[in-house]
Amino acid sequence: MLILWSGEYLTGKSIGAATFPKPMEYLDFDDHFEMVQNARGKDGKPIISPEEYAKINVHKFQREKAHRLQFKTVLGGKQAPAHTAEAPQMMEKMNTILSDIMNGTRKCETLVIDSITVMFRLWKEAILSVNGQSQLQIPDYGTLETILYGQFIPTLKALPVKYVICIGHTDIEKDEVTGRVIEFPIGPSRAQGKAMGKEFDEVWRQEVSGDKYIIRTKKGGGLMQVGSRLDLPDMLESNWKEISKHCPK
């Protein structure tokens, strides 16, 4: 099952994903998995028990160098910003992990990518670094589309994993003619963010309702571009214990 789990920052998406079946491979692009480790429920107990945590293999995708702030704009330049040099190596690290899962070297029931928002940013930086550019060009967005629909999503669907969870954040756009406001996941570009949901089995929108983290699974107005092929109940509490009651055995 391929899940796109989106919402605003700090609304419990990562914690909810970490409750899914183990063993788990967790690709941490946002550098806040410690928040998941330390999260506690209303009873004061860890949401992810030490026994569960021991079955989560966390991969960090953070920069290892400091960079000076540069404010010079170079149009059409052939030199990529220095900070982009780490992006190709991080993407190769991700390729290796996905290949290991595919060939069985890494066995897991759940793969979490947290977050694809940051991962997409690294894709753009990798393009700049590999091609020696100071900024993205129009053809580069075609490359990003090819990577997303021709390589990344098909690879995730082919993995021998029960649950693949892509955690993302949301963007909002207003139609200037109708005044309608729509909300959609952040993609490599705005157009791709609006369209990519159709490629997933489940598209959930995370919210906080009172003292609970919940997921929206039914479309409700312009702000909700969500959907569930499993016909999951709306406003379902976002943890595996509740979600599993409505998933095929």
Side-chain angles (χ1 to χ4, degrees), residues 139-153:
D140 295 327
Y141 289 94
T143 299
L144 288 168
E145 185 175 26
T146 297
I147 295 170
L148 178 64
Y149 295 120
Q151 301 168 19
F152 179 65
I153 290 179

Side-chain angles (χ1 to χ4, degrees), residues 3-17:
I3 301 166
L4 175 56
W5 196 333
S6 64
E8 297 178 3
Y9 289 90
L10 302 177
T11 53
K13 299 180 296 297
S14 303
I15 297 170

